[in-house]
Amino acid sequence: MRESTRARNFRPIAAGRAARSPLGGALLLGGSLLLGGSLLFAHPAHAARVSLGLGAYEDAPHSGFFGSDPVPPDPKYRTGPAAERAAPTNQWYSSLMFVDPSFPIYAQPMTYRATTQGLELGLPDRQFDSPDGKRREVRYPHRAAMIVEPVGFAARPPRLSDFSDWLAEIRWDGPNGANLSARVLHGDPFSYYQCACTEIRFAFAQSATRLVDPASGDPGIAAVEIGSHAYAIYAPTGANFQWSGDQSLLLHLPKGKGYFSVAGLPDARSGTARQLAKYAYAFPVDTRAEYAYDPASSTVSTVFRTTTQAMQGEEHTPLMGIYPHQWNAMASAPQPLFQYDSPRGPIRVIAADQFTTKLTYHGFVPYWPGLESDKDRKAVDRLLVGDAARSGQLFETHGYGTYWVGKGLGAAAQLMNVAAAEGEGSIQRKMQATIEHRLQSWFDDRHATHFMQDARIGSFIGLPEEFGSVTHMNDHHFHYGYWLMASANVALRDPAWAAPDHWGGMVGRLVDDIATARRDRKDFPHLRNFDAYAGHSWASGDQEIFDGNNQESSSEAVNAWAGLILWGEATGNRALRDLGIYLYTTEIHSIHTYWFDLHHTVLAADYGKPFASMVFGDKYAYNTWWTEEPRQILGINAIPITPASTYLGRDPAYVRSLFAELPADVANYEKHGGSDGTPKDIWQDVLASFRALGDPASGLAHWSDQGNVEAGETRSHTLFWLLSLAEMGPPDFTVTADTPLYAVFRRADGTRTYLAYDAGGTPIRVKFSDGKVLDVSPGSLARSH
């Protein structure tokens, strides 16, 4: 099994093709040398260098004397429309393109697996697992209740043949034009089939109890109970079923009617199987999530729309299963027909071809204003001088790829912002120059650290790879989010640097890799990591994991979308800004639902933890990829700390409860043999910053300027964050504004601090929802109490 994401601080450098050299310890990177900190690079003859503004990238892997670049996996199992577009990596069904059989596909509530034999399907049962007293997880693993298989032809391996926002179509081809296709969707208990064949076999995993027998008055329906769940098969008029014992059912299709559907039922009543027959022939052909950001109300509306084709009769209305994060955001939720249990909580099923959600966008500003207390300013300034002098070390932590360099860029950007806020112009300019130099050293294609456009899969990849970012297409939004955040902070101060004919074109390729809005491109897929229906991102590129796709560091996903908002604002690209606001707002709402369970609808009582640190297709878990240590389990869903992290304080009482439980969790970890040399104050800066969103004084009291520093942090930034919250109070989510870049804080005495930033070229007047008005000059941050 291949694992996504990364073992960060305690994993050896993951530099893809890096190896130690006998040449005085030089590091070999493909056809290049890292010698004494300098990266030397020579272009192989077969790789074309594509210029873009002042930058450039390669259009093929390097293959030099010292080795070859890693390449993305081959999405060879594609056909039809799916083969005409960029490969949709990082989705819930992506393994279909890479391996036969596929890994389990968790559509919610149904689970599937495509094999050469046919399509496995089932409704999962809940399992709780705590193998060592430290890890905990609640799973709904795939167990095949039946296999839908074509009869009469030997099928070739299944391939992804089409897809839309939450629909995947799988196709099996045979000789002489014989074929079978299946469409599966998020939230839909049905799977839909069309075939150029006459017979289909349903092979049951165990003896089935007949609930509805087509021979007893319902000729188009066969319903069975298999184990603890029930299923129904819906055939066209004129079809015939033939039983072969209790573990096999043969469907004979009439000429010209090569279609049928299969549903997992919410119960084992025959009446339920008959009730669903009304919707069994409304076959989905397209799914779309269409969003709109309204600045005046600071809201994001999303319409989820399914287009169907009536295969039999006149009914076009499908069933749509509403996830908890969607249900909580519906203005007027309809009465559900029924519901299913799932790892995402209850899936409520309605009969509709569309529904709308509305979420409030709680903004952020690029940086916070200077501290108002002389004492506080001096405390930060003392650390700032030393952090600036050591800033080169931010890029020398654990690796030379896009993740660790990205973390260095992110830390440098926040250090630059602190210097700017505190009026330390020389340090601010130094950090800006450092960031620009680091970015350009990758963007100019003259170093071993560079980018390549891979046409086969449709991706802009950074080399050397880290954590499977190339060979498994993992974590692009995590990696590139740091780059976007740093680039945007530069662009706010130096618009010329960000121009398309300068370095902005290269940043634009990073944007396109993770946030292409179009659905028809061959060079990049639509919203690579983001699952529009699930409401959050996925990290594994090839999805070759039995537990389905996964996301661990939800906060790094948020960082990517925050960077997108800032880059859109800095470059005047409102469409991109609005896309960022949609992604940022939706991802945060899903984090509050599935990671932190603020609505108390997802995490089971026997789970015994107040949050999920990892969300998979079939489970949620208290763990990380690299450690079971509780402070890092909590902190991985907080890094990096930036002004866009205020959403972590949405429920201050919840934040306080997290930290009230943390000492006991650490003690339990050590009790079960977890003491492995981890520093006693590991990530104390990240945790203090998170804690301060619930209680600023407590956050400040739990931080030491002599303590552990997380790889993407600096002491200056942490202290500035803590003292700022002590002065302004925690974030106030009861007040919104009619501009994207705003924030409101409220002290215990009721005093509010209002912030707004104007990234444009003309003054703006910002109206807050409580009546406050703030005038902001171009390119500046305004503050008012």
Side-chain angles (χ1 to χ4, degrees):
M1 181 178 73
R2 294 172 178 172
E3 296 181 344
S4 170
T5 15
R6 54 246 174 271
R8 298 161 210 269
N9 286 25
F10 300 102
R11 179 174 175 174
I13 293 173
R17 61 197 184 284
R20 296 302 298 175
S21 165
L23 302 177
L27 185 65
L28 306 186
L29 298 172
S32 311
L33 283 175
L34 174 61
L35 187 59
S38 298
L39 292 167
L40 311 176
F41 172 65
H43 294 279
H46 70 278
R49 184 173 186 266
V50 181
S51 295
L52 183 59
L54 298 180
Y57 59 88
E58 301 294 315
D59 69 354
H62 297 146
S63 182
F65 177 79
F66 296 116
S68 301
D69 284 336
V71 296
D74 184 4
K76 60 184 177 182
Y77 294 114
R78 291 184 296 163
T79 189
E84 300 301 316
R85 291 178 280 168
T89 64
N90 303 84
Q91 288 298 318
W92 51 283
Y93 54 82
S94 293
S95 69
L96 284 166
M97 301 182 292
F98 301 109
V99 290
D100 171 37
S102 76
F103 282 75
I105 300 167
Y106 295 93
Q108 315 300 356
M110 300 296 295
T111 69
Y112 304 96
R113 192 181 190 191
T115 73
T116 301
Q117 183 181 356
L119 185 66
E120 299 177 0
L121 64 86
L123 282 167
D125 290 312
R126 179 187 180 277
Q127 298 178 3
F128 171 72
D129 185 28
S130 182
D132 56 12
K134 294 174 289 187
R135 291 177 290 160
R136 288 175 177 266
E137 59 185 36
V138 173
R139 301 182 65 222
Y140 291 73
H142 171 68
R143 295 289 185 270
M146 72 171 74
I147 302 178
V148 181
E149 56 186 64
V151 177
F153 70 90
R156 292 190 286 272
R159 291 179 288 177
L160 180 70
S161 55
D162 205 355
F163 57 92
S164 57
D165 287 8
W166 63 91
L167 177 153
E169 182 181 85
I170 312 161
R171 182 181 173 100
W172 293 259
D173 284 304
N176 303 316
N179 65 75
L180 170 68
S181 67
R183 291 177 189 158
V184 300
L185 298 85
H186 271 325
D188 197 332
F190 279 97
S191 48
Y192 307 86
Y193 304 81
Q194 292 180 265
C195 64
C197 59
T198 59
E199 292 183 330
I200 298 293
R201 177 182 292 111
F202 303 91
F204 307 136
Q206 61 189 79
S207 295
T209 301
R210 302 179 193 185
L211 302 175
V212 177
D213 192 333
S216 303
D218 293 283
I221 308 173
V224 295
E225 186 174 13
I226 304 169
S228 58
H229 297 286
Y231 305 86
I233 302 162
Y234 301 91
T237 301
N240 293 302
F241 287 97
Q242 179 183 345
W243 291 94
S244 178
D246 293 328
Q247 288 190 251
S248 181
L249 179 62
L250 193 65
L251 171 62
H252 301 276
L253 294 166
K255 185 176 180 180
K257 294 185 177 180
Y259 58 87
F260 60 96
S261 62
V262 181
L265 304 180
D267 57 55
R269 294 181 296 176
S270 60
T272 302
R274 295 185 179 97
Q275 178 187 2
L276 264 65
K278 176 181 179 181
Y279 311 102
Y281 305 101
F283 277 37
V285 295
D286 189 36
T287 55
R288 291 289 179 102
E290 298 172 327
Y291 63 88
Y293 163 59
D294 177 30
S297 61
S298 196
T299 57
V300 175
S301 298
T302 306
V303 179
F304 297 87
R305 183 176 292 111
T306 301
T307 303
T308 63
Q309 176 185 2
M311 304 299 291
Q312 179 172 296
E314 301 298 324
E315 184 61 67
H316 283 81
T317 304
L319 296 181
M320 301 184 78
I322 313 301
Y323 283 37
H325 78 281
Q326 297 164 328
W327 190 261
N328 294 333
M330 296 174 71
S332 56
Q335 182 65 32
L337 299 176
F338 37 79
Q339 72 179 38
Y340 294 82
D341 190 22
S342 84
R344 299 292 85 86
I347 304 291
R348 299 172 174 89
V349 177
I350 64 173
D353 61 3
Q354 69 176 55
F355 64 90
T356 301
T357 62
K358 181 176 286 188
L359 298 171
T360 299
Y361 165 63
H362 298 287
F364 64 95
V365 290
Y367 56 89
W368 291 349
L371 296 163
E372 296 184 296
S373 161
D374 287 339
K375 179 183 176 182
D376 290 349
R377 283 200 304 270
K378 291 177 181 178
V380 170
D381 291 349
R382 281 195 296 270
L383 294 179
L384 188 59
V385 173
D387 282 340
R390 295 186 298 270
S391 59
Q393 297 175 14
L394 295 172
F395 303 92
E396 300 171 358
T397 53
H398 299 278
Y400 298 98
T402 50
Y403 181 72
W404 290 114
V405 170
K407 284 182 71 71
L409 289 167
Q414 297 310 314
L415 194 59
M416 174 178 68
N417 288 337
V418 172
E422 292 301 294
E424 296 291 341
S426 61
I427 294 178
Q428 181 239 303
R429 289 187 293 273
K430 173 186 176 180
M431 296 314 304
Q432 181 175 331
T434 295
I435 296 168
E436 292 179 358
H437 170 74
R438 290 286 177 171
L439 290 167
Q440 291 163 202
S441 72
W442 281 72
F443 290 164
D444 64 10
D445 194 39
R446 300 186 185 281
H447 302 79
T449 52
H450 65 285
F451 287 93
M452 181 191 78
Q453 178 70 36
D454 187 274
R456 183 179 61 177
I457 203 167
S459 182
F460 196 60
I461 56 179
L463 295 162
E465 79 161 337
E466 286 180 328
F467 309 111
S469 58
V470 178
T471 51
H472 298 291
M473 292 295 294
N474 292 342
D475 304 345
H476 284 204
H477 62 322
F478 293 163
H479 294 214
Y480 295 167
Y482 289 102
W483 293 64
L484 293 183
M485 185 64 78
S487 297
N489 275 284
V490 168
L492 290 171
R493 296 173 172 86
D494 186 358
W497 184 93
D501 59 351
H502 281 62
W503 301 101
M506 293 295 289
V507 179
R509 301 299 283 187
L510 300 178
V511 170
D512 288 343
D513 188 79
I514 63 171
T516 288
R518 283 174 47 185
R519 295 172 170 84
D520 61 350
R521 289 179 65 163
K522 293 184 177 182
D523 51 353
F524 297 106
H526 173 65
L527 301 181
R528 181 184 305 282
N529 296 89
F530 192 73
D531 184 331
Y533 208 82
H536 61 80
S537 304
W538 297 113
S540 172
D542 53 21
Q543 192 252 314
E544 295 185 21
I545 306 172
F546 282 101
D547 289 315
N549 216 317
N550 77 93
Q551 179 161 267
E552 177 188 55
S553 183
S554 59
S555 50
E556 287 183 306
V558 170
N559 184 56
W561 313 140
L564 202 65
I565 295 169
L566 287 182
W567 181 255
E569 277 285 277
T571 58
N573 188 334
R574 289 198 172 185
L576 186 62
R577 177 203 71 186
D578 290 357
L579 172 59
I581 289 174
Y582 158 67
L583 295 171
Y584 177 85
T585 303
T586 308
E587 187 102 34
I588 287 172
H589 182 61
S590 293
I591 292 167
H592 286 155
T593 304
Y594 304 119
W595 276 257
F596 296 143
D597 194 24
L598 296 187
H599 302 284
H600 309 291
T601 58
V602 176
L603 303 184
D606 59 355
Y607 176 62
K609 295 295 180 183
F611 68 96
S613 57
M614 306 177 80
V615 169
F616 288 76
D618 77 335
K619 70 179 181 180
Y620 51 86
Y622 181 81
N623 199 6
T624 73
W625 283 115
W626 81 97
T627 184
E628 298 167 12
E629 197 281 311
R631 289 159 295 191
Q632 293 166 89
I633 289 176
L634 178 58
I636 195 58
N637 280 289
I639 64 168
I641 298 295
T642 78
S645 302
T646 49
Y647 72 94
L648 293 168
R650 182 67 180 86
D651 185 339
Y654 173 73
V655 175
R656 292 192 292 271
S657 72
L658 288 178
F659 287 94
E661 293 187 23
L662 188 58
D665 291 336
V666 173
N668 183 63
Y669 169 75
E670 295 175 345
K671 174 183 175 182
H672 287 87
S675 183
D676 56 0
T678 300
K680 293 294 184 182
D681 60 351
I682 186 71
W683 287 13
Q684 56 106 25
D685 46 1
V686 171
L687 298 177
S689 297
F690 190 175
R691 186 192 293 260
L693 292 169
D695 184 344
S698 179
L700 190 58
H702 282 83
W703 176 76
S704 168
D705 62 3
Q706 299 299 311
N708 180 268
V709 180
E710 192 268 333
E713 264 295 357
T714 62
R715 290 180 171 86
S716 302
H717 176 248
T718 299
L719 182 58
F720 178 78
W721 171 279
L722 296 172
L723 292 174
S724 294
L725 289 175
E727 290 188 356
M728 298 187 297
D732 183 351
F733 296 97
T734 67
V735 180
T736 61
D738 62 354
T739 192
L741 302 182
Y742 76 93
V744 182
F745 300 84
R746 188 175 185 271
R747 294 203 307 248
D749 64 4
T751 302
R752 286 191 173 101
T753 297
Y754 301 84
L755 306 178
Y757 188 89
D758 179 4
T762 58
I764 60 173
R765 171 161 288 185
V766 177
K767 298 177 182 179
F768 291 84
S769 60
D770 65 350
K772 181 71 175 181
V773 176
L774 192 57
D775 291 317
V776 193
S777 301
S780 68
L781 177 72
R783 167 173 54 187
S784 179
H785 296 299

